[in-house]
Amino acid sequence: MGRLFWKFFFFIAIAQITATFGVGVLFWIENLERNSHSSEIDLSPPASFMIRSAAATLQFGGAEALRSLINEGREHRLKLYAVDENMKDLMGREVSPKLVEEARAVLKTEKGRRVVELVKAANGHSYLLFIPAPPEEFVGPGGPGPGGREPRRMRDRGPQPLFFPSMPIVVAMVASMVFALLLAWYFSYPIRHLKNAFAQAASGNLDLELEPVMSSRSDELADLGRDFDAMTAKLRTLMESQRRLLHDVSHELRSPIARLQVAIGLARVQDKDKLEITLERIERESVRMDKLVGELLTLSRLEANVPGSMEENIAIQPMLADMINDASFEASANGKHIEGQIDCPVEVKGNPELLYRAIENVLRNAIKHTALDTTVQIHTQVDEINKLLHLSILDRGPGVPEDELNSIFELFFRSSRTKSNSSGHGLGLSIARRIVEAHNGFIRAANRKDGGLRVDITLPFMADEPAKGQTLDA
């Protein structure tokens, strides 16, 4: 058992033992208080009724009538004392002066039920009437006094031993120790599994899951175990993505490097007439590698969340106008067209260079895959209520299979319909998605019903300073 177990056990046990001992001491003090304030006069309702009856008998019938009442032999009446001012009992019994003193004290303080009465009889004497001590406090038959009964406290006035509840405290302490042991084990058991799981994860083993171990629990520790499983699953995905990225980058770089090596080898043995063609091949492959490395560097910056300044105000409408004008030259040279009607006098906060590149990647991808003599359309819509700008780019290409729509924004992914005739690396849309997400927007793709692909980009715009611009029909 680890240190955490003993810490749990120690503090829980100390808390429970302290509480148990404190409760025991409180009961002990209460018992002492009760014993110190216990009355030697019977204060019960039957005693009050008997005292009132005796007082009426003495007042109206005299001392002989009361003596006859006491001598009738009933147990409760034998306890009744009638003491005159000379400390003599009517029945001739010995009376403790302390008992008489307490009866007089009760007579002064008792305001409700009368359990002590002072009655003046016809013979001129005043009698103090009271009943001492409950039945269990009297000595049994054979003891002193009439009828063989006398108050125990008159016979035994020595100090009583103090009662301390040692046995209940011992039992409670043992129970506290057992439950503290169980509670400490209940808390430390899943934490030991968490510690082992973190150690396994630190050593590179991310396949360990805590859900089977903590499935029977429904507390915060079980939630922590589920969060750990989610974390390791995410780490496995990231590590697999890194391995796949390394493999894909190696594969993408291997092809142009191999072609460069072949071209260099040919340049060494070819005639000077063909050397220019070989050099052009080398230059094309080097440009291709430079473009790939540049895209990888951009992607690395976006993955590391260092895209540069994101606080500039970007006027969307002029940026789209410039982009459409630049792309129209490329499209017309390939027998394709661009048609756009943009009306979005809004500003977006972010990085203008990155945002331009993201939209341009989507636009050039549409120009690349749209069929000859077809038109790439660009539409904008401003949602003033939610402060969102919707930008749609539509082409007339082969589209994407439905099961691949969510994958076209992944790294190095190329659709099965365009892989054979595409010269790209599958990074353009991946970079576009990360840039759009860095601007707090989102991007998605869908096939058009009449053929082609539609890519929608949604960006939040600034509501306080809209940018002025002219509607462009291209």
Short mmCIF file of all heavy atoms in Angstrom, two decimals, residues 234 238 241-242 244-245 295-307 354 409-411 427 430-431 433-435 437-438:
data_model
loop_
_atom_site.label_atom_id
_atom_site.label_comp_id
_atom_site.label_asym_id
_atom_site.label_seq_id
_atom_site.Cartn_x
_atom_site.Cartn_y
_atom_site.Cartn_z
N LYS A 234 -6.47 10.45 -27.96
CA LYS A 234 -6.05 11.60 -28.75
C LYS A 234 -4.56 11.55 -29.04
O LYS A 234 -4.12 11.86 -30.17
CB LYS A 234 -6.42 12.88 -28.00
CG LYS A 234 -6.10 14.16 -28.75
CD LYS A 234 -6.93 14.29 -29.99
CE LYS A 234 -6.70 15.64 -30.68
NZ LYS A 234 -7.50 15.77 -31.92
N LEU A 238 -2.68 11.48 -32.63
CA LEU A 238 -1.65 12.44 -33.02
C LEU A 238 -0.35 11.74 -33.42
O LEU A 238 0.29 12.13 -34.41
CB LEU A 238 -1.41 13.42 -31.87
CG LEU A 238 -2.55 14.39 -31.56
CD1 LEU A 238 -2.20 15.23 -30.33
CD2 LEU A 238 -2.82 15.30 -32.75
N SER A 241 -0.86 10.20 -36.66
CA SER A 241 -0.86 11.24 -37.69
C SER A 241 0.55 11.71 -37.99
O SER A 241 0.90 11.95 -39.16
CB SER A 241 -1.72 12.42 -37.22
OG SER A 241 -1.66 13.48 -38.14
N GLN A 242 1.39 11.83 -36.96
CA GLN A 242 2.77 12.22 -37.20
C GLN A 242 3.53 11.17 -38.00
O GLN A 242 4.29 11.50 -38.92
CB GLN A 242 3.47 12.47 -35.86
CG GLN A 242 3.02 13.74 -35.15
CD GLN A 242 3.77 13.97 -33.87
OE1 GLN A 242 4.49 13.08 -33.38
NE2 GLN A 242 3.60 15.15 -33.29
N ARG A 244 2.20 9.02 -40.02
CA ARG A 244 1.68 9.05 -41.39
C ARG A 244 2.21 10.26 -42.17
O ARG A 244 2.53 10.18 -43.35
CB ARG A 244 0.15 9.05 -41.35
CG ARG A 244 -0.48 8.93 -42.74
CD ARG A 244 -1.98 8.72 -42.65
NE ARG A 244 -2.65 9.86 -42.04
CZ ARG A 244 -3.18 9.85 -40.83
NH1 ARG A 244 -3.11 8.75 -40.08
NH2 ARG A 244 -3.78 10.92 -40.33
N LEU A 245 2.29 11.42 -41.45
CA LEU A 245 2.82 12.62 -42.10
C LEU A 245 4.27 12.42 -42.51
O LEU A 245 4.67 12.80 -43.63
CB LEU A 245 2.71 13.80 -41.14
CG LEU A 245 3.31 15.13 -41.61
CD1 LEU A 245 2.61 15.61 -42.87
CD2 LEU A 245 3.23 16.18 -40.52
N GLU A 295 4.85 24.62 -48.41
CA GLU A 295 3.56 24.24 -47.85
C GLU A 295 3.72 23.52 -46.52
O GLU A 295 2.92 23.72 -45.59
CB GLU A 295 2.81 23.35 -48.85
CG GLU A 295 2.33 24.10 -50.09
CD GLU A 295 1.60 23.19 -51.06
OE1 GLU A 295 1.76 21.95 -50.94
OE2 GLU A 295 0.88 23.71 -51.93
N LEU A 296 4.77 22.70 -46.41
CA LEU A 296 5.00 22.01 -45.15
C LEU A 296 5.38 22.99 -44.03
O LEU A 296 4.97 22.83 -42.88
CB LEU A 296 6.10 20.96 -45.32
CG LEU A 296 5.73 19.73 -46.14
CD1 LEU A 296 6.94 18.85 -46.38
CD2 LEU A 296 4.64 18.93 -45.44
N LEU A 297 6.15 24.01 -44.37
CA LEU A 297 6.50 25.01 -43.37
C LEU A 297 5.26 25.79 -42.91
O LEU A 297 5.08 26.06 -41.71
CB LEU A 297 7.54 25.98 -43.93
CG LEU A 297 8.96 25.40 -44.11
CD1 LEU A 297 9.86 26.42 -44.81
CD2 LEU A 297 9.55 25.00 -42.77
N THR A 298 4.39 26.14 -43.86
CA THR A 298 3.14 26.82 -43.49
C THR A 298 2.28 25.94 -42.61
O THR A 298 1.72 26.39 -41.59
CB THR A 298 2.37 27.21 -44.76
OG1 THR A 298 3.18 28.05 -45.58
CG2 THR A 298 1.08 27.93 -44.40
N LEU A 299 2.19 24.67 -42.99
CA LEU A 299 1.41 23.73 -42.19
C LEU A 299 2.00 23.57 -40.80
O LEU A 299 1.26 23.51 -39.80
CB LEU A 299 1.36 22.38 -42.90
CG LEU A 299 0.50 21.30 -42.26
CD1 LEU A 299 -0.96 21.72 -42.26
CD2 LEU A 299 0.67 19.98 -42.98
N SER A 300 3.32 23.55 -40.69
CA SER A 300 3.97 23.42 -39.39
C SER A 300 3.68 24.63 -38.51
O SER A 300 3.42 24.49 -37.31
CB SER A 300 5.48 23.26 -39.58
OG SER A 300 6.15 23.23 -38.35
N ARG A 301 3.69 25.82 -39.10
CA ARG A 301 3.36 27.03 -38.34
C ARG A 301 1.92 26.98 -37.83
O ARG A 301 1.64 27.34 -36.68
CB ARG A 301 3.55 28.26 -39.20
CG ARG A 301 5.00 28.60 -39.51
CD ARG A 301 5.07 29.77 -40.47
NE ARG A 301 4.34 30.91 -39.95
CZ ARG A 301 3.88 31.91 -40.71
NH1 ARG A 301 4.06 31.88 -42.02
NH2 ARG A 301 3.24 32.92 -40.15
N LEU A 302 1.02 26.51 -38.68
CA LEU A 302 -0.38 26.45 -38.27
C LEU A 302 -0.59 25.40 -37.19
O LEU A 302 -1.38 25.59 -36.26
CB LEU A 302 -1.27 26.15 -39.48
CG LEU A 302 -1.31 27.25 -40.55
CD1 LEU A 302 -2.05 26.75 -41.78
CD2 LEU A 302 -1.99 28.50 -40.00
N GLU A 303 0.09 24.26 -37.31
CA GLU A 303 -0.04 23.21 -36.30
C GLU A 303 0.53 23.67 -34.95
O GLU A 303 0.03 23.27 -33.89
CB GLU A 303 0.68 21.94 -36.75
CG GLU A 303 0.04 21.25 -37.94
CD GLU A 303 -1.24 20.53 -37.56
OE1 GLU A 303 -1.55 20.45 -36.36
OE2 GLU A 303 -1.94 20.06 -38.48
N ALA A 304 1.55 24.52 -35.00
CA ALA A 304 2.18 25.01 -33.77
C ALA A 304 1.48 26.25 -33.22
O ALA A 304 1.94 26.85 -32.25
CB ALA A 304 3.65 25.33 -34.02
N ASN A 305 0.38 26.66 -33.87
CA ASN A 305 -0.41 27.82 -33.43
C ASN A 305 0.42 29.10 -33.41
O ASN A 305 0.31 29.93 -32.52
CB ASN A 305 -1.01 27.59 -32.04
CG ASN A 305 -2.05 26.50 -32.07
OD1 ASN A 305 -2.81 26.38 -33.03
ND2 ASN A 305 -2.09 25.71 -31.02
N VAL A 306 1.30 29.26 -34.40
CA VAL A 306 2.07 30.50 -34.54
C VAL A 306 1.86 31.05 -35.96
O VAL A 306 2.79 31.17 -36.74
CB VAL A 306 3.57 30.27 -34.27
CG1 VAL A 306 3.81 30.07 -32.80
CG2 VAL A 306 4.11 29.07 -35.05
N PRO A 307 0.62 31.40 -36.32
CA PRO A 307 0.35 31.87 -37.68
C PRO A 307 0.75 33.32 -37.91
O PRO A 307 0.51 33.85 -38.99
CB PRO A 307 -1.17 31.71 -37.79
CG PRO A 307 -1.66 31.89 -36.39
CD PRO A 307 -0.59 31.34 -35.51
N LEU A 354 -2.37 34.93 -44.74
CA LEU A 354 -2.83 33.55 -44.58
C LEU A 354 -4.25 33.37 -45.12
O LEU A 354 -4.55 32.36 -45.78
CB LEU A 354 -2.77 33.15 -43.10
CG LEU A 354 -1.38 32.99 -42.49
CD1 LEU A 354 -1.49 32.65 -41.01
CD2 LEU A 354 -0.60 31.90 -43.22
N PHE A 409 -9.94 17.34 -46.56
CA PHE A 409 -9.20 18.36 -45.83
C PHE A 409 -8.09 17.76 -44.97
O PHE A 409 -7.47 18.49 -44.18
CB PHE A 409 -10.15 19.17 -44.95
CG PHE A 409 -11.21 19.91 -45.72
CD1 PHE A 409 -12.51 19.44 -45.75
CD2 PHE A 409 -10.90 21.06 -46.43
CE1 PHE A 409 -13.49 20.11 -46.46
CE2 PHE A 409 -11.87 21.73 -47.14
CZ PHE A 409 -13.17 21.26 -47.16
N GLU A 410 -7.85 16.43 -45.11
CA GLU A 410 -6.77 15.79 -44.38
C GLU A 410 -5.46 15.92 -45.15
O GLU A 410 -5.43 16.18 -46.36
CB GLU A 410 -7.08 14.31 -44.13
CG GLU A 410 -8.33 14.07 -43.32
CD GLU A 410 -8.22 14.60 -41.91
OE1 GLU A 410 -7.08 14.65 -41.39
OE2 GLU A 410 -9.26 14.97 -41.33
N LEU A 411 -4.34 15.72 -44.43
CA LEU A 411 -3.02 15.87 -45.03
C LEU A 411 -2.78 14.82 -46.12
O LEU A 411 -3.06 13.63 -45.92
CB LEU A 411 -1.94 15.76 -43.96
CG LEU A 411 -1.92 16.87 -42.90
CD1 LEU A 411 -0.89 16.55 -41.84
CD2 LEU A 411 -1.62 18.20 -43.53
N LEU A 427 -2.07 19.04 -49.98
CA LEU A 427 -1.86 19.91 -48.83
C LEU A 427 -2.68 21.20 -48.90
O LEU A 427 -2.88 21.86 -47.87
CB LEU A 427 -0.38 20.29 -48.70
CG LEU A 427 0.57 19.16 -48.29
CD1 LEU A 427 2.01 19.67 -48.33
CD2 LEU A 427 0.24 18.66 -46.91
N SER A 430 -5.89 21.13 -46.83
CA SER A 430 -5.53 20.98 -45.42
C SER A 430 -5.08 22.30 -44.83
O SER A 430 -5.47 22.69 -43.71
CB SER A 430 -4.42 19.93 -45.26
OG SER A 430 -4.84 18.67 -45.76
N ILE A 431 -4.24 23.02 -45.60
CA ILE A 431 -3.79 24.33 -45.14
C ILE A 431 -4.96 25.29 -45.06
O ILE A 431 -5.08 26.08 -44.11
CB ILE A 431 -2.68 24.85 -46.07
CG1 ILE A 431 -1.44 23.97 -45.96
CG2 ILE A 431 -2.35 26.31 -45.77
CD1 ILE A 431 -0.33 24.32 -46.93
N ARG A 433 -8.11 24.64 -44.44
CA ARG A 433 -8.94 24.37 -43.26
C ARG A 433 -8.30 24.92 -42.00
O ARG A 433 -8.97 25.55 -41.17
CB ARG A 433 -9.16 22.86 -43.11
CG ARG A 433 -10.13 22.51 -42.01
CD ARG A 433 -10.15 21.04 -41.71
NE ARG A 433 -8.91 20.62 -41.05
CZ ARG A 433 -8.68 19.38 -40.62
NH1 ARG A 433 -9.60 18.44 -40.80
NH2 ARG A 433 -7.54 19.07 -40.04
N ARG A 434 -7.01 24.72 -41.82
CA ARG A 434 -6.35 25.20 -40.62
C ARG A 434 -6.33 26.72 -40.54
O ARG A 434 -6.45 27.31 -39.46
CB ARG A 434 -4.93 24.62 -40.56
CG ARG A 434 -4.92 23.15 -40.15
CD ARG A 434 -3.62 22.47 -40.51
NE ARG A 434 -3.58 21.11 -39.99
CZ ARG A 434 -4.20 20.07 -40.54
NH1 ARG A 434 -4.94 20.25 -41.62
NH2 ARG A 434 -4.11 18.86 -40.01
N ILE A 435 -6.17 27.38 -41.68
CA ILE A 435 -6.18 28.84 -41.68
C ILE A 435 -7.57 29.37 -41.34
O ILE A 435 -7.72 30.30 -40.53
CB ILE A 435 -5.70 29.39 -43.05
CG1 ILE A 435 -4.23 29.04 -43.27
CG2 ILE A 435 -5.92 30.89 -43.13
CD1 ILE A 435 -3.71 29.44 -44.64
N GLU A 437 -9.90 27.85 -39.61
CA GLU A 437 -10.15 27.58 -38.20
C GLU A 437 -9.36 28.55 -37.31
O GLU A 437 -9.84 28.92 -36.23
CB GLU A 437 -9.79 26.14 -37.86
CG GLU A 437 -10.75 25.12 -38.48
CD GLU A 437 -10.33 23.68 -38.21
OE1 GLU A 437 -9.20 23.49 -37.69
OE2 GLU A 437 -11.11 22.77 -38.52
N ALA A 438 -8.16 28.95 -37.75
CA ALA A 438 -7.40 29.93 -36.98
C ALA A 438 -8.10 31.29 -36.95
O ALA A 438 -7.86 32.10 -36.04
CB ALA A 438 -5.99 30.09 -37.56
#
